[in-house]
Amino acid sequence: MERQNGELLVRMVNIHKWFGRVYALRGVDFEVYRGETVGLIGDNGAGKSTLIKILSGYHQADQGEIYFEGQRVRISSPRDARKLGIETVYQEQALAPNLSIARNIFMGREPVRRWGIIDRKVMNEESMKALANLGLRLRSPDLPVVTLSGGERQGVAIARALHFKAKLVILDEPTVALSVKEVEEVLEFVRQLQREGISVIFITHNLYHAYDIAERFVVMARGKKMADVKKKDTSPEELSQLVIKSAFAE
Amino acid sequence: MEWVRNFLRYRAANTFLVFIGLVIFFSLLTPNYLFVDRRNLAALGKLFPDLGVVALGVGVLMICGEFDLSVSSVLPFCSYVFVRLLYRGIAPFWAFWVALGVGALLGLLNGLITVKTKMPSFITTLGTMMFWRGVLYIWSKMMPAGIRNLVPSGSPFERAFAGTVGSFFPVQALWFALFALILGILLHYHRFGNWIYATGDNRDAARAMGINTDLVKTICFMIVGVLCGFSACMQAVRIGSFAATQGIGFELRAIAACVVGGTSLRGGVGSMPGIVLGALTIPILDNGLILLRVPVFGISAFIGIATILFVVLNSYVERKTR
């Protein structure tokens, strides 16, 4: 096995971020181990998304360091993050609805023949293969994404991460606005990522969606990390108490 | 009936049907079947590419989510640059390339202003449209400037831009077809085309996937600029002169052509076959109505109705097929 569990993959140290006069992150430490699934939970405005956007290159930290596989790294664009193997699946921002499934999966990394002409055959076959790996059977790689269900769309975005051999997949509220059946579908996709040994950060404010699949939970509130607990040391009730308490604590 | 349904699912299909309908309508109803008269078709083939070539670029730009209203100023500006260079004794061939370069530069400027200020291009290019028109009016004093003796009829340059192939087929239509082919390949088969669609469809997703959307947009603005430069020279050679009124009204007619061809105003949706059909439909509507003796000044009203009907039709068909 090339990937070994238990070794540190990402370490974010003392991350600070201001948006104008808003002090969004106040010295957060955060780490993810190889093959581990971390549930990042907290109320709206707790700083979860900001932290993750720094890791995926959308924002830059005003202060703090990021280490990836032991190396100090500077992630100044989404492109940098992808080069490291960090793939982010945003709620509604991951896919172009009018483009085909295959064109979405290979967006920005199209397989080409000579002179930049897209190799459609490779693109279509690889897309179907990546989806099948997730257990997702779709009629054709040429369907526009807008014709898919919410769960299937998340599947397409996750298939993309899987295909490009991501080391860390960040799922930003992947279960928001999905039906119960679709949520189960998405959780199954995440389990597939786990089986492949890929680290996952699962951001949600629905504790129960994260509880099934995560091994560790990080609770954030008002720009700070309030708790960092292993699943075996806690319970959903305790976690939800933590979220509520830390949101109201002074 | 499966193939019929597949065909109708294709967005440009209704434009195609309406286009065929219009051709049949005008063929049968114009006095003495003037519409399909050889001379009328030849004239149409000469004239429509002026707008058509520009519309091809505008369509690509719309797919990536931006507009360019400045085409109606960039075009005469390039034309004047071309003519001034000819007056200075520069060979038409080189003057032509400089005009394309100026078009590209003005396109680059549009692109940079739009992506750097993050303003809607409807506003930024409205600004550059007015700016360049003002500059042009002062520079040229709005005087026409003839070039007949500098680009004489029958010279290689004149024949390349205003001649005929095989004594009948207007070369302008071939240029239009060539650009449509190149841009069609770019849009539908090249990776850059996928970036254009992705940028227009969901800019955040495109950015997250590492596509430099600002660069994509700027290049699309430059494509429009170059095509304006091309159209400017082609038109100047055909009419044998620079005219300050060249390109007037092109900005909205080009958008209308693209919309008629199924291009979305919100970006991300459209196709080269559709844009080509749109760029053919508007001039045919023009021409047919003139032949039907509709007063010239009233034709705009029909183009307006047609544009609205097409948008309604397109969104109706879209809802049906989804």
Side-chain angles (χ1 to χ4, degrees):
Chain A
M1 273 295 274
E2 183 201 336
R3 299 170 195 276
Q4 239 182 337
N5 286 9
E7 144 198 7
L8 201 55
L9 181 68
V10 180
R11 191 152 71 94
M12 299 173 82
V13 182
N14 195 24
I15 302 289
H16 292 262
K17 178 73 185 173
W18 283 266
F19 290 111
R21 298 164 83 180
V22 179
Y23 196 4
L25 291 178
R26 312 175 176 216
V28 176
D29 295 332
F30 181 72
E31 52 278 312
V32 181
Y33 291 83
R34 259 190 218 281
E36 183 193 34
T37 300
V38 180
L40 184 55
I41 53 183
D43 208 354
N44 287 334
K48 313 183 295 275
S49 284
T50 310
L51 184 71
I52 252 46
K53 282 186 170 156
I54 287 171
L55 190 54
S56 56
Y58 253 94
H59 297 318
Q60 274 73 54
D62 294 314
Q63 199 187 316
E65 291 141 37
I66 303 175
Y67 297 86
F68 194 82
E69 299 183 312
Q71 301 281 319
R72 171 99 192 255
V73 288
R74 190 171 288 282
I75 304 174
S76 46
S77 70
R79 189 184 275 265
D80 287 351
R82 291 185 100 192
K83 267 191 206 140
L84 292 172
I86 302 173
E87 291 271 344
T88 313
V89 178
Y90 288 113
Q91 307 166 21
E92 281 300 314
Q93 296 161 17
L95 302 171
N98 291 299
L99 282 188
S100 73
I101 294 169
R103 279 174 177 265
N104 263 291
I105 289 180
F106 285 92
M107 191 195 292
R109 289 183 293 205
E110 299 81 1
V112 290
R113 296 182 302 185
R114 233 187 298 172
W115 300 320
I117 298 296
I118 293 176
D119 192 334
R120 290 177 79 131
K121 195 160 159 280
V122 167
M123 191 167 80
N124 286 351
E125 286 173 3
E126 293 291 314
S127 303
M128 290 314 263
K129 229 193 280 174
L131 292 167
N133 270 346
L134 276 183
L136 196 56
R137 306 234 166 263
L138 298 174
R139 244 188 319 137
S140 148
D142 290 324
L143 289 176
V145 161
V146 72
T147 59
L148 304 180
S149 75
E152 288 169 339
R153 284 183 215 186
Q154 295 291 355
V156 171
I158 294 172
R160 176 163 64 193
L162 205 56
H163 178 81
F164 287 102
K165 309 253 177 286
K167 293 171 181 162
L168 170 67
V169 175
I170 301 170
L171 299 163
D172 191 356
E173 302 277 10
T175 54
V176 141
L178 292 189
S179 70
V180 176
K181 186 171 149 270
E182 287 173 341
V183 168
E184 195 36 57
E185 224 176 6
V186 170
L187 295 182
E188 194 44 53
F189 298 151
V190 176
R191 285 186 196 107
Q192 185 58 35
L193 291 176
Q194 292 173 331
R195 282 193 281 272
E196 303 264 340
I198 298 169
S199 307
V200 177
I201 301 175
F202 192 104
I203 305 164
T204 181
H205 50 246
N206 189 328
L207 190 57
Y208 293 93
H209 290 168
Y211 195 79
D212 275 352
I213 51 167
E215 295 147 62
R216 184 161 61 89
F217 297 93
V218 171
V219 179
M220 288 190 68
R222 292 167 297 116
K224 282 187 195 156
K225 185 162 90 175
M226 305 307 285
D228 190 337
V229 287
K230 291 223 162 81
K231 180 152 83 178
K232 61 180 166 52
D233 301 329
T234 184
S235 66
E237 292 71 31
E238 191 186 356
L239 273 175
S240 57
Q241 279 304 313
L242 254 172
V243 172
I244 293 164
K245 246 195 286 177
S246 49
F248 288 106
E250 211 27 73
Chain B
M1 291 322 262
E2 184 62 23
W3 67 273
V4 174
R5 196 159 336 132
N6 281 337
F7 172 71
L8 285 176
R9 188 167 292 147
Y10 202 59
R11 216 180 137 93
N14 36 50
T15 312
F16 182 69
L17 293 180
V18 174
F19 173 76
I20 296 294
L22 276 178
V23 169
I24 293 171
F25 178 80
F26 287 136
S27 303
L28 296 179
L29 287 184
T30 45
N32 305 323
Y33 309 109
L34 255 178
F35 180 76
V36 278
D37 188 273
R38 221 171 101 115
R39 280 161 304 170
N40 184 54
L41 290 180
L44 201 53
K46 258 198 217 346
L47 297 175
F48 92 87
D50 285 357
L51 174 68
V53 167
V54 175
L56 295 175
V58 167
V60 171
L61 182 67
M62 281 172 71
I63 291 174
C64 95
E66 300 293 343
F67 295 98
D68 190 349
L69 296 180
S70 74
V71 294
S72 58
S73 299
V74 171
L75 193 149
F77 194 89
C78 292
S79 172
Y80 196 59
V81 168
F82 176 66
V83 169
R84 292 301 303 186
L85 289 173
L86 292 182
Y87 277 19
R88 292 196 160 206
I90 308 237
F93 180 77
W94 298 112
F96 162 73
W97 284 105
V98 174
L100 292 198
V102 169
L105 211 64
L106 298 189
L108 173 70
L109 198 67
N110 278 334
L112 288 180
I113 295 174
T114 304
V115 300
K116 290 300 169 201
T117 62
K118 301 189 196 310
M119 294 288 281
S121 48
F122 223 91
I123 302 301
T124 56
T125 59
L126 180 67
T128 52
M129 168 174 94
M130 299 207 252
F131 180 78
W132 293 117
R133 180 157 306 160
V135 170
L136 176 69
Y137 282 179
I138 293 170
W139 187 23
S140 69
K141 302 183 183 67
M142 295 184 75
M143 297 293 281
I147 53 166
R148 262 295 174 250
N149 44 0
L150 294 165
V151 188
S153 173
S155 67
F157 194 81
E158 194 269 345
R159 277 171 37 206
F161 288 100
T164 54
V165 176
S167 81
F168 165 71
F169 199 84
V171 70
Q172 289 98 328
L174 285 184
W175 283 116
F176 173 79
L178 179 71
F179 283 120
L181 188 69
I182 293 171
L183 290 174
I185 290 172
L186 181 79
L187 209 49
H188 298 296
Y189 295 99
H190 196 273
R191 66 188 317 182
F192 188 73
N194 203 36
W195 300 354
I196 293 174
Y197 277 101
T199 301
D201 203 11
N202 187 345
R203 202 175 72 94
D204 288 334
R207 251 169 55 78
M209 292 304 118
I211 295 171
N212 185 340
T213 55
D214 285 354
L215 182 68
V216 170
K217 287 185 174 184
T218 306
I219 290 175
C220 289
F221 273 110
M222 290 177 75
I223 290 173
V224 175
V226 169
L227 292 177
C228 281
F230 187 91
S231 182
C233 297
M234 191 166 72
Q235 200 179 32
V237 169
R238 176 170 55 78
I239 59 184
S241 153
F242 155 80
T245 50
Q246 268 180 278
I248 294 241
F250 272 25
E251 70 283 5
L252 296 180
R253 287 170 70 87
I255 292 175
C258 296
V259 168
V260 164
T263 315
S264 162
L265 290 166
R266 288 181 302 264
V269 176
S271 70
M272 196 35 71
I275 295 166
V276 167
L277 283 171
L280 287 168
T281 302
I282 297 261
I284 280 178
L285 205 55
D286 253 351
N287 177 265
L289 290 170
I290 291 173
L291 296 179
L292 283 177
R293 309 262 161 79
V294 171
V296 174
F297 297 105
I299 284 174
S300 168
F302 287 91
I303 306 269
I305 293 172
T307 307
I308 293 172
L309 285 181
F310 266 106
V311 180
V312 174
L313 182 69
N314 275 336
S315 60
Y316 173 76
V317 172
E318 203 173 332
R319 260 179 289 135
K320 279 276 160 187
T321 51
R322 283 270 152 83

